[in-house]
Amino acid sequence: NLTMESEKYICVREMGAATGGTNNVVIIDMESPMQPMRRPITADSALMNPNSKCIALKAGVPNQQADHLQVFNLETKAKMGSHQMPEQVVFWKWISPTKLGIVSATAVYHWELNGTAPQKVFDRAANLNGTQIIKYMTTPDEKWCVLIGIAPGSPDRPQLVKGFMQLYSVAQGRSQALEAHAAAFASMKVGSNTAPSTLISFAQKSMVNGQLVSKLHVIELGAPPAGQTPFTKKQAELFFPPEFADDFPVSMQISKKYGLIYVITKLGLLFVYDLETATAVYRSRISPDPIFITSEAASVGGFYAINRRGQVLLATVNEQSMVPFVSQSLNNLDLALAMAKRGNLPGAEALVGQNFERLFALGNYKDAAVAAAESPMGALRTKATIEKLKGVQVQPGQTSPLLQYFGTLLTHGKLNPLESLELGRLVLAQNKKQLLENWMNEDKLECDEALGDLVKATGDNDLALKIYLKAQATQKVVTAFAERGQFEELVKYSSQVGHKPDYLYIMQSLLMSNPQAAAKLAVTIAQQEGPPVDVNTITDLFLQRNMIREATSFLLEVLKPNLPEQAMLQTKVLEINLVTYPNVADAILANNMFTHYDRPRVAQLCEKAGLYMRALQHYTELSDIKRVIINTHAIEPQALVEFFGTLSPDWALSCLKEMLSVNVQQNLQLVVQIAKEYTEQIGSKGIIELLESFKTYEGLYFYLGSYLAFSEDPDVHFKYIEAATKTGQVKEVERVTRESNFFDPEKTKQFLMEAKLQDARPLINVCDRFDLIRDLALYLYNNNMLKYIEAYVQKVNPSKAPEIVGALLDVECDEEFISNLILSVRSLLPVEPLVAECEKRNKMKLLTTFLDHLVSEGSTDAHVHNALGKIIIDSNNNPEHFLTTNPHYDSEVVGKYCEKRDPNLACVAYKRGQCDDALIGCTNKNSMFKLQARYVVERMDLDLWAKVLDPESEHRRQLIDQVVSTALPESKNPEQVSVSVKAFMTADLPNELIELLEKIVLQNSAFSGNPNLQNLLILTAIKADGSRVMDYINRLDHFDGPAVGEIAVGSELFEEAYFIYKKFDLHVPAIKVLLENIQSIERAHEYATKVEEKECWSELAKSQLAGGNVKDAIASYIRADDESNRDAVIAEAKKSDSYEDLVKYLKMVRSKVKEASVDTELAYSYAKIGQIGQLEEFIVSTPGVNLQSVGDRCFDEGIFEASKIIFTSLSNWGRLASTLVKLEQYQAAVEAARKANSSKTWKEVCFACVDKEEYRLAQLCGLSIIVNADDLEDVSEFYQGRGKFEELISLMEAGLGLERSHMGIFTELGILYAKYKLDKLMEHLKLFSNKINIPRLIRVCEEQMHWKALSFLYVQYDEYDNAATVMMNHSPEAWEHIAFKDVAVKVSNADLFYKAISFYLEEHPMMLCDLLAVLSSRIDHARVVDVMRKREHLPLVKPYLLSVQQSNLVAVNEAVNDLLIEEHDFEGLRNSIET
């Protein structure tokens, strides 16, 4: 529930019981530990990232042996990764800021948080099986991994926990199994090696040949590279005091800062060893409570530890006392010196100095230089050392000790100013300045002004400037920038360091020598906050020397902010340029840099300089604008157009009028362009009136041409047509009349007719679009423009030809022209309106040629043939032939045309078109009933029959007579007869219909074998006279058996229906009638046996199943090979317990379908009938069975052998364990419970083993239960309830050595000792008093009257009053003098002091003085004297009275004096009185 992955965070899981029902994760930031962050997170484990606020969460997957892992960023609230492990995670840890190490029961995985799944690294070694994993770590390069687990000790010493370690090489892919409790990786340079070696340190404690051996090992991993010195393996003893004999290492941390190994044990011991030599440095107990987690504190070179009390401990090196302690207390000078160098620790100054002097005296200058350079805290990095090394005479070919000194310093870090200066002198003297620059770039030198001066003397100003900058030599830096002309850098640097140069002097100097640099400096000065030199002053300096360009450049840069207070300067820069360089001024204005200058003044200057556009932009009076704007020859048109966008509508119109007044020809195009651009602002009405006032149709044409597309004003469109017409733009007129939808058609038509254009297309467009066809035709005819009539009809709109023809006929145009006009269009003409126009004017014959042409071309248009038919009927040119042979005319139209001329022709037309209503009406009107009867019979339309046979029809009788006497006897078509008969049936004429049908069907007529008529006869009999049906069935053979049989069933003629189905071999309907209607299963079984069809057996089976005859139903289903009703069969078979029959049925079903439910029921059926072998074989071969359901059902019904097989195959270890208990297979049940690892399962198996006296197995189970405090009481009550006290005690004793042992186990064992094994109680209490629930045990000891144990517990619980009372009340067992004295001084109730005095007087009078001596500071001496006087034992306490007499109390003095008098000790009496 608590994790600590680094020195940054601690993560604590709060369980629901402690937080009011919610689960929380509390994150403690070690930088602000009093402000914990609490999040409502439910997880089995939580790990904070070692570097960032990211949290990894682990939770079990319900009903699966798997864990779900997720990683979240708490700051961004984003999910960084998620993965479901297929197996449970037993341990996990961050091995880097981006990677998690995950340990399962079988393997180790690494999970990189980049979207990929965890990757398997290696399998767990066999020595870690059954252990609790407590540590996993890797080297930084992840080439080596170590996994550590612990396990209970041997049965004779379970408290001595065993440790196992697996070391894995990624490169070699191999593991090594070792015994170790703790380990850590380290990296260290050996001797003069250039590359560090990878080391591992591990601690072990184990029994070897009966002896307890504790060792620390440090070894190198892998072979060192060629030329490198290997690390020599080291080992050292770990000395455990006798009271810590069963203690063992739980963690190891290695300090990179100090090179120390920290070994932390379970009971709080700390061992400190030197990493390089494995020398013991220190040992102490840092916690009275067990430590269970540690983490490296890299920032201080120590470690954090957390004990079971929840205390967070920080242990690190005391830098001030470490070296003196090692050198003096351990007397190890070499180690002290090495630690001082490695950790840069104080306290070794004298040692280092002595070593340096010794080496120097021996002439070993190289080692002396190295010793000085590596001296801790820089003790020897002084001028004296440098001077001493400089004084050494160097032999040719040898390296100077001073250079060796500096080389060592450069390797280890940074030189101080003194060393940097001396090294600078050396390398510059050897002309190796590049080395100096390289060291500076690497930040190896601490620069000062002297070093800069030294470099500058060599002529390298750049390097000198770098040194001055690093040395913060302000004046030297300013001087260097000035010499180099780097004024921006000078200003920037001066501002940074607060230096104020004399800029005015610098400016005046530069104007003489370098004006460009001066301008650059001027800008730099002006851009400073609160410029040191006024901008006007700088500008005057430029202008005094006529430096216009430089002044302009300076001012443009300075005036970039465009501030109101810069108005004068803005005007100034524009004035000087408008006078001298107008182009420059124009460019400045074009950039819109300034907005605060004097605009009227600049406008005047622009007009004078010929910059008319700029002048227009600056003038604000209309008169000024009109004066300037007429200079269109000198103004860019586009700019002028844009300028008009800034004017008001009135001013714009006024300016446009001014431009046209000055020069229409020159400015018209520009005026039109402006008008187009700003129509919306100025208004089209004003522009049009302006152009009309100058009578310029050309301007109107061009302006309106652009505006037309955006206007819906009819007047605008008309004016455009008018302007285009008057400017000769006929094509445009034609386009607008064709496309525009907004002109007034009547007005436009009138205008175009008056204009009398040679091209009539515009007029054609208007008349065609607005349906003014008659006016168009008359205009073209009257103006002799016949070719336009032809063109319009042929090319523009042939659909309007009828109207054209009508108009031409009205003005008596030549019929030949009209005929030719019609023929020229032919098929494009709409025939119907054309015929209507001609028919109205009685000119149908005019169309004869046209219609013949259309027919000859294959026209099928009804209107064409209608017109042609009317012409033929009127001319009486064999109309019957046309009416019967022509397929294209409209029968109703032509028939109606014929009715008044010839009704027979009308009937021909109506019959041809099946115009029923029209024909009936015509024949009724003209009494043509025979024709009507024949038509109705031939028509075979029941709706038509319904109309003519309507009882309300006055002509019904005449029609029926003609049908019976003429129409039907003449008919040879059976369908006609059939439809007629149905019509009679519908009209409810059954008797007449039966007699008619008997004549037709039974008297050997042509229709005797007609199926439909036979059907009708039988159906009519079913409806009207059921007694005739069986006779008809026997005499007729061609009727529709299925249909008639169904109707017979519906009419409850069941026997007739059965004989119909039987006659037509319809076995399934026949057997359904027997089963459902006649309800005779015996006849149905006999029938099914006779026909032997599967469908029949299926129907029979359904009825048998519905009747509860399951066995026969299953047999029928099997014969039917039918699995469709399997759910009902299974349900009924289960109700009747017919599992043997069900097995047979389900086998048949499985041969046809593959369904899990079927397989599940078959498996259950095997179990029910005891076919265990077949069940096992079926389970193996059939993957889709719902075995959990089958197993649960078998278990509930006591079929335990079957459920055992099923739960084994499912790996459902919990249910398997329950089953094995039922089968009394307890050893196997324990194994199953171990795999299930469920508290409920463990208890079930444990309790069953106890009941069967399998105590060894029960203990194995119990150990897994009692580690859960909530289940401990259940186990204890069960054992005690069955009198198994010894076995329960043995279980609890074994539980003490468990890793997960808790207070409940120690407490429960104490209670058991108190109840059943008193001789072990006190030893248990003394050993584990800090691990038991004392109040609970106090109650038990009091109930059991174990007074000695009770008093001990009261003492441990700091209830000294109760402890003293128990000792006195039960002294034979509970009292001990020394223990009582210890308790007595701590009681809070003063009355107990005097009760104790009385107790001692009665039972231990000779020890009373000893007790009083202890209590002397807390008791009332006068009261004691009074008590002793009353009890007459005052002489007994004389030594006590003498010892307290110095307090000079009257009662005490009197008591002493009385005793002395009684003893005749006058000398003592004198002393007593005098003192």
Side-chain angles (χ1 to χ4, degrees), residues 497-537:
V497 300
H499 183 68
K500 296 183 178 180
D502 187 354
Y503 289 115
L504 191 59
Y505 171 76
I506 298 172
M507 273 289 298
Q508 291 171 341
S509 301
L510 287 176
L511 284 170
M512 302 295 293
S513 59
N514 191 346
Q516 289 78 18
K520 186 177 178 183
L521 177 59
V523 173
T524 305
I525 294 170
Q527 288 177 344
Q528 297 184 51
E529 290 187 11
V533 182
D534 183 62
V535 175
N536 287 304
T537 303

Side-chain angles (χ1 to χ4, degrees), residues 177-206:
L178 300 167
E179 286 191 9
H181 292 78
F185 291 112
S187 179
M188 186 186 76
K189 284 188 179 180
V190 178
S192 59
N193 287 356
T194 57
S197 299
T198 300
L199 310 179
I200 185 172
S201 173
F202 58 92
Q204 56 183 197
K205 185 176 183 180
S206 59

Side-chain angles (χ1 to χ4, degrees), residues 630-633 659 662-671:
I630 61 176
N631 296 292
T632 55
H633 62 283
M659 291 169 64
V662 172
N663 192 334
V664 175
Q665 293 298 330
Q666 176 181 313
N667 295 332
L668 179 61
Q669 185 176 354
L670 186 57
V671 168

Side-chain angles (χ1 to χ4, degrees), residues 1094-1095 1097-1099 1101-1102 1105 1113-1131 1142-1155 1157-1159:
K1094 292 183 178 180
E1095 291 81 357
W1097 284 113
S1098 292
E1099 294 297 331
K1102 289 178 186 176
L1105 189 66
I1114 290 177
S1116 297
Y1117 272 122
I1118 293 173
R1119 293 185 72 172
D1121 198 22
D1122 180 10
E1123 39 67 42
S1124 60
N1125 200 26
R1126 54 185 175 276
D1127 293 338
V1129 173
I1130 293 170
L1142 183 58
V1143 167
K1144 298 175 185 176
Y1145 175 72
L1146 292 175
K1147 286 181 178 180
M1148 179 275 292
V1149 172
R1150 289 191 74 247
S1151 67
K1152 301 178 72 63
V1153 297
K1154 300 297 181 184
E1155 284 188 4
S1157 60
V1158 174
D1159 295 339

Side-chain angles (χ1 to χ4, degrees), residues 24 132 299 340 399 449 461 534 560 570 594 599 623 645 731 750 845 1019 1131 1158 1194-1195 1221 1296 1333 1405-1406 1446:
N24 294 323
Q132 177 190 350
S299 59
T399 304
E449 192 172 326
N461 292 330
D534 183 62
K560 277 183 178 179
Q570 292 180 0
F594 307 141
R599 297 182 71 84
S623 58
K731 288 186 177 179
Q750 196 63 37
K845 288 186 178 181
L1019 293 176
V1158 174
C1194 290
F1195 184 88
V1221 165
L1296 297 183
N1333 186 338
M1406 303 311 297
Q1446 59 186 3

